[in-house]
Amino acid sequence: MPERPVSNTGVHKIELGTHVQVTLEHQTHQGFVHNVNSKFLILQNTVNNTIDLIWIRIESITSVKIVETKKKEIHLTSSLEQSKKRVEDAVREEMQRLGVGVPQHAQALFDALSKTLPVRWKNKTIMVMNDVAIDAPYTVEGCKLLPNGDENTLQRIKKVVQGERLKMK
């Protein structure tokens, strides 16, 4: 069957189980549509009895081709509702990691800190361990000790911020 192109805005119309080829700027993925929501397309592949799920941000898709319209039954390890909840929870968790209206270097700092420390966004402020707040311009000077915060933690966070800022230059 010939491949049919679909724009990334038409991704939401593709039925679950459809075999597609998704092209991003520098890579291509192929698989069966497992789930689609407003932010992600999730493809499923089964290799050696292992189910792999590939999460793709819809905004990064340059093209989608329907390879086969015959739908494959999507094998889930649990019920469809449980799977859907896991996907929604993962999307929600990923969305909480994204700063809204913050510069790219602020997001990069957040991502670096999150590798070793519990961090979260509170509006445009990075909250670290409920001890330190990092405000714009997201430098050592933006690090503030929160009430009941630990001074040693503040000093440690300042060193990490300084190191990350040097890496960004």
Side-chain angles (χ1 to χ4, degrees):
M1 157 174 265
E3 298 177 341
R4 266 188 336 175
V6 176
S7 70
N8 69 347
T9 56
V11 169
H12 298 87
K13 297 176 184 171
I14 300 173
E15 292 186 46
L16 297 183
T18 301
H19 188 201
V20 296
Q21 177 180 326
V22 179
T23 304
L24 310 175
E25 189 173 326
H26 298 291
Q27 58 189 167
T28 301
H29 297 283
Q30 203 171 114
F32 296 89
V33 176
H34 178 82
N35 202 342
V36 182
N37 62 34
S38 63
K39 300 285 182 189
F40 295 96
L41 167 66
I42 303 169
L43 298 181
Q44 175 180 317
N45 284 311
T46 305
V47 180
N48 298 328
N49 293 325
T50 301
I51 296 174
D52 288 329
L53 296 179
I54 303 167
W55 290 63
I56 302 169
R57 289 181 193 262
I58 288 180
E59 64 192 32
S60 66
I61 296 173
T62 57
S63 71
V64 177
K65 292 180 183 172
I66 296 176
V67 176
E68 187 177 359
T69 56
K70 181 181 173 190
K71 295 176 195 45
K72 177 181 178 182
E73 181 181 331
I74 301 294
H75 298 286
L76 301 174
T77 56
S78 59
S79 74
L80 183 58
E81 286 303 312
Q82 289 173 329
S83 179
K84 184 177 177 182
K85 183 181 180 330
R86 280 196 310 268
V87 168
E88 289 169 351
D89 289 347
V91 169
R92 193 174 309 109
E93 184 178 311
E94 179 68 22
M95 294 303 295
Q96 289 174 347
R97 296 180 45 76
L98 299 176
V100 178
V102 299
Q104 186 176 359
H105 70 274
Q107 185 65 52
L109 176 61
F110 180 93
D111 293 341
L113 289 168
S114 71
K115 291 177 183 175
T116 57
L117 298 166
V119 294
R120 63 182 172 85
W121 285 104
K122 183 176 181 183
N123 299 319
K124 294 183 179 187
T125 301
I126 301 172
M127 306 298 288
V128 186
M129 299 175 56
N130 294 322
D131 284 338
V132 177
I134 306 173
D135 292 315
Y138 308 100
T139 60
V140 172
E141 293 76 28
C143 297
K144 306 291 183 237
L145 186 64
L146 296 173
N148 300 321
D150 179 25
E151 181 65 36
N152 291 329
T153 302
L154 174 62
Q155 296 311 314
R156 182 172 140 214
I157 299 304
K158 283 183 175 184
K159 285 181 183 179
V160 172
V161 169
Q162 184 178 25
E164 289 301 322
R165 294 291 292 187
L166 288 172
K167 286 182 192 175
M168 290 181 211
K169 289 184 179 184

PDB file of all heavy atoms in Angstrom, residues 78-94:
ATOM      1  N   SER A  78      -1.803  -3.850  30.780  1.00  0.00           N
ATOM      2  CA  SER A  78      -2.897  -3.723  31.729  1.00  0.00           C
ATOM      3  C   SER A  78      -4.090  -3.173  30.953  1.00  0.00           C
ATOM      4  O   SER A  78      -4.046  -2.996  29.753  1.00  0.00           O
ATOM      5  CB  SER A  78      -2.507  -2.796  32.879  1.00  0.00           C
ATOM      6  OG  SER A  78      -2.166  -1.532  32.374  1.00  0.00           O
ATOM      7  N   SER A  79      -5.133  -2.849  31.655  1.00  0.00           N
ATOM      8  CA  SER A  79      -6.342  -2.390  30.977  1.00  0.00           C
ATOM      9  C   SER A  79      -6.098  -1.063  30.267  1.00  0.00           C
ATOM     10  O   SER A  79      -5.175  -0.319  30.579  1.00  0.00           O
ATOM     11  CB  SER A  79      -7.482  -2.235  31.986  1.00  0.00           C
ATOM     12  OG  SER A  79      -7.264  -1.077  32.762  1.00  0.00           O
ATOM     13  N   LEU A  80      -6.937  -0.769  29.301  1.00  0.00           N
ATOM     14  CA  LEU A  80      -6.825   0.463  28.530  1.00  0.00           C
ATOM     15  C   LEU A  80      -6.924   1.690  29.435  1.00  0.00           C
ATOM     16  O   LEU A  80      -6.181   2.648  29.264  1.00  0.00           O
ATOM     17  CB  LEU A  80      -7.913   0.501  27.452  1.00  0.00           C
ATOM     18  CG  LEU A  80      -7.895   1.688  26.511  1.00  0.00           C
ATOM     19  CD1 LEU A  80      -6.560   1.775  25.791  1.00  0.00           C
ATOM     20  CD2 LEU A  80      -9.034   1.583  25.510  1.00  0.00           C
ATOM     21  N   GLU A  81      -7.803   1.652  30.401  1.00  0.00           N
ATOM     22  CA  GLU A  81      -7.956   2.796  31.309  1.00  0.00           C
ATOM     23  C   GLU A  81      -6.694   3.026  32.133  1.00  0.00           C
ATOM     24  O   GLU A  81      -6.277   4.155  32.338  1.00  0.00           O
ATOM     25  CB  GLU A  81      -9.172   2.614  32.230  1.00  0.00           C
ATOM     26  CG  GLU A  81     -10.499   2.813  31.530  1.00  0.00           C
ATOM     27  CD  GLU A  81     -10.604   4.176  30.865  1.00  0.00           C
ATOM     28  OE1 GLU A  81     -10.287   5.205  31.507  1.00  0.00           O
ATOM     29  OE2 GLU A  81     -11.005   4.218  29.685  1.00  0.00           O
ATOM     30  N   GLN A  82      -6.074   1.959  32.606  1.00  0.00           N
ATOM     31  CA  GLN A  82      -4.838   2.099  33.370  1.00  0.00           C
ATOM     32  C   GLN A  82      -3.730   2.655  32.486  1.00  0.00           C
ATOM     33  O   GLN A  82      -2.957   3.512  32.913  1.00  0.00           O
ATOM     34  CB  GLN A  82      -4.414   0.763  33.976  1.00  0.00           C
ATOM     35  CG  GLN A  82      -5.296   0.300  35.114  1.00  0.00           C
ATOM     36  CD  GLN A  82      -4.939  -1.100  35.561  1.00  0.00           C
ATOM     37  OE1 GLN A  82      -4.494  -1.931  34.773  1.00  0.00           O
ATOM     38  NE2 GLN A  82      -5.154  -1.378  36.842  1.00  0.00           N
ATOM     39  N   SER A  83      -3.667   2.167  31.270  1.00  0.00           N
ATOM     40  CA  SER A  83      -2.656   2.663  30.335  1.00  0.00           C
ATOM     41  C   SER A  83      -2.880   4.138  30.038  1.00  0.00           C
ATOM     42  O   SER A  83      -1.941   4.933  30.031  1.00  0.00           O
ATOM     43  CB  SER A  83      -2.706   1.851  29.040  1.00  0.00           C
ATOM     44  OG  SER A  83      -1.766   2.325  28.129  1.00  0.00           O
ATOM     45  N   LYS A  84      -4.108   4.512  29.797  1.00  0.00           N
ATOM     46  CA  LYS A  84      -4.438   5.910  29.505  1.00  0.00           C
ATOM     47  C   LYS A  84      -4.070   6.789  30.701  1.00  0.00           C
ATOM     48  O   LYS A  84      -3.505   7.863  30.533  1.00  0.00           O
ATOM     49  CB  LYS A  84      -5.923   6.037  29.191  1.00  0.00           C
ATOM     50  CG  LYS A  84      -6.346   7.419  28.795  1.00  0.00           C
ATOM     51  CD  LYS A  84      -7.808   7.461  28.429  1.00  0.00           C
ATOM     52  CE  LYS A  84      -8.215   8.884  28.110  1.00  0.00           C
ATOM     53  NZ  LYS A  84      -9.635   8.993  27.797  1.00  0.00           N
ATOM     54  N   LYS A  85      -4.338   6.327  31.910  1.00  0.00           N
ATOM     55  CA  LYS A  85      -4.003   7.102  33.108  1.00  0.00           C
ATOM     56  C   LYS A  85      -2.493   7.277  33.237  1.00  0.00           C
ATOM     57  O   LYS A  85      -2.014   8.358  33.559  1.00  0.00           O
ATOM     58  CB  LYS A  85      -4.561   6.428  34.365  1.00  0.00           C
ATOM     59  CG  LYS A  85      -4.307   7.233  35.636  1.00  0.00           C
ATOM     60  CD  LYS A  85      -4.842   6.534  36.850  1.00  0.00           C
ATOM     61  CE  LYS A  85      -4.622   7.268  38.143  1.00  0.00           C
ATOM     62  NZ  LYS A  85      -3.477   8.101  38.264  1.00  0.00           N
ATOM     63  N   ARG A  86      -1.732   6.204  32.952  1.00  0.00           N
ATOM     64  CA  ARG A  86      -0.276   6.303  33.014  1.00  0.00           C
ATOM     65  C   ARG A  86       0.243   7.325  32.014  1.00  0.00           C
ATOM     66  O   ARG A  86       1.129   8.120  32.325  1.00  0.00           O
ATOM     67  CB  ARG A  86       0.378   4.938  32.745  1.00  0.00           C
ATOM     68  CG  ARG A  86       0.377   4.018  33.940  1.00  0.00           C
ATOM     69  CD  ARG A  86       1.350   2.862  33.746  1.00  0.00           C
ATOM     70  NE  ARG A  86       1.220   2.168  32.486  1.00  0.00           N
ATOM     71  CZ  ARG A  86       0.466   1.101  32.266  1.00  0.00           C
ATOM     72  NH1 ARG A  86      -0.247   0.596  33.248  1.00  0.00           N
ATOM     73  NH2 ARG A  86       0.425   0.541  31.078  1.00  0.00           N
ATOM     74  N   VAL A  87      -0.316   7.313  30.821  1.00  0.00           N
ATOM     75  CA  VAL A  87       0.093   8.275  29.797  1.00  0.00           C
ATOM     76  C   VAL A  87      -0.240   9.689  30.243  1.00  0.00           C
ATOM     77  O   VAL A  87       0.596  10.598  30.169  1.00  0.00           O
ATOM     78  CB  VAL A  87      -0.572   7.947  28.438  1.00  0.00           C
ATOM     79  CG1 VAL A  87      -0.386   9.090  27.456  1.00  0.00           C
ATOM     80  CG2 VAL A  87      -0.014   6.663  27.874  1.00  0.00           C
ATOM     81  N   GLU A  88      -1.450   9.891  30.737  1.00  0.00           N
ATOM     82  CA  GLU A  88      -1.850  11.227  31.190  1.00  0.00           C
ATOM     83  C   GLU A  88      -0.989  11.697  32.358  1.00  0.00           C
ATOM     84  O   GLU A  88      -0.595  12.861  32.408  1.00  0.00           O
ATOM     85  CB  GLU A  88      -3.332  11.226  31.571  1.00  0.00           C
ATOM     86  CG  GLU A  88      -4.248  11.099  30.366  1.00  0.00           C
ATOM     87  CD  GLU A  88      -5.696  10.840  30.744  1.00  0.00           C
ATOM     88  OE1 GLU A  88      -5.991  10.594  31.942  1.00  0.00           O
ATOM     89  OE2 GLU A  88      -6.540  10.873  29.830  1.00  0.00           O
ATOM     90  N   ASP A  89      -0.684  10.796  33.277  1.00  0.00           N
ATOM     91  CA  ASP A  89       0.172  11.155  34.413  1.00  0.00           C
ATOM     92  C   ASP A  89       1.572  11.539  33.936  1.00  0.00           C
ATOM     93  O   ASP A  89       2.162  12.505  34.413  1.00  0.00           O
ATOM     94  CB  ASP A  89       0.269  10.004  35.423  1.00  0.00           C
ATOM     95  CG  ASP A  89      -1.015   9.776  36.193  1.00  0.00           C
ATOM     96  OD1 ASP A  89      -1.922  10.643  36.136  1.00  0.00           O
ATOM     97  OD2 ASP A  89      -1.140   8.713  36.843  1.00  0.00           O
ATOM     98  N   ALA A  90       2.092  10.779  32.994  1.00  0.00           N
ATOM     99  CA  ALA A  90       3.427  11.074  32.471  1.00  0.00           C
ATOM    100  C   ALA A  90       3.442  12.413  31.737  1.00  0.00           C
ATOM    101  O   ALA A  90       4.392  13.190  31.874  1.00  0.00           O
ATOM    102  CB  ALA A  90       3.891   9.957  31.543  1.00  0.00           C
ATOM    103  N   VAL A  91       2.403  12.689  30.983  1.00  0.00           N
ATOM    104  CA  VAL A  91       2.314  13.977  30.279  1.00  0.00           C
ATOM    105  C   VAL A  91       2.215  15.110  31.288  1.00  0.00           C
ATOM    106  O   VAL A  91       2.898  16.128  31.173  1.00  0.00           O
ATOM    107  CB  VAL A  91       1.111  14.001  29.313  1.00  0.00           C
ATOM    108  CG1 VAL A  91       0.845  15.398  28.796  1.00  0.00           C
ATOM    109  CG2 VAL A  91       1.353  13.038  28.158  1.00  0.00           C
ATOM    110  N   ARG A  92       1.393  14.942  32.307  1.00  0.00           N
ATOM    111  CA  ARG A  92       1.239  15.963  33.347  1.00  0.00           C
ATOM    112  C   ARG A  92       2.571  16.213  34.056  1.00  0.00           C
ATOM    113  O   ARG A  92       2.975  17.349  34.274  1.00  0.00           O
ATOM    114  CB  ARG A  92       0.171  15.528  34.356  1.00  0.00           C
ATOM    115  CG  ARG A  92      -0.287  16.618  35.288  1.00  0.00           C
ATOM    116  CD  ARG A  92      -1.448  16.185  36.193  1.00  0.00           C
ATOM    117  NE  ARG A  92      -2.548  15.577  35.459  1.00  0.00           N
ATOM    118  CZ  ARG A  92      -2.868  14.268  35.492  1.00  0.00           C
ATOM    119  NH1 ARG A  92      -2.199  13.442  36.250  1.00  0.00           N
ATOM    120  NH2 ARG A  92      -3.873  13.797  34.791  1.00  0.00           N
ATOM    121  N   GLU A  93       3.281  15.124  34.359  1.00  0.00           N
ATOM    122  CA  GLU A  93       4.584  15.250  35.016  1.00  0.00           C
ATOM    123  C   GLU A  93       5.571  15.985  34.115  1.00  0.00           C
ATOM    124  O   GLU A  93       6.306  16.858  34.563  1.00  0.00           O
ATOM    125  CB  GLU A  93       5.114  13.866  35.365  1.00  0.00           C
ATOM    126  CG  GLU A  93       6.405  13.885  36.138  1.00  0.00           C
ATOM    127  CD  GLU A  93       6.855  12.479  36.502  1.00  0.00           C
ATOM    128  OE1 GLU A  93       6.030  11.716  37.028  1.00  0.00           O
ATOM    129  OE2 GLU A  93       8.030  12.175  36.246  1.00  0.00           O
ATOM    130  N   GLU A  94       5.571  15.642  32.829  1.00  0.00           N
ATOM    131  CA  GLU A  94       6.463  16.308  31.882  1.00  0.00           C
ATOM    132  C   GLU A  94       6.114  17.792  31.764  1.00  0.00           C
ATOM    133  O   GLU A  94       6.998  18.646  31.698  1.00  0.00           O
ATOM    134  CB  GLU A  94       6.377  15.628  30.507  1.00  0.00           C
ATOM    135  CG  GLU A  94       7.246  16.245  29.451  1.00  0.00           C
ATOM    136  CD  GLU A  94       8.739  16.071  29.680  1.00  0.00           C
ATOM    137  OE1 GLU A  94       9.147  15.161  30.408  1.00  0.00           O
ATOM    138  OE2 GLU A  94       9.506  16.867  29.114  1.00  0.00           O
TER     139      GLU A  94
END
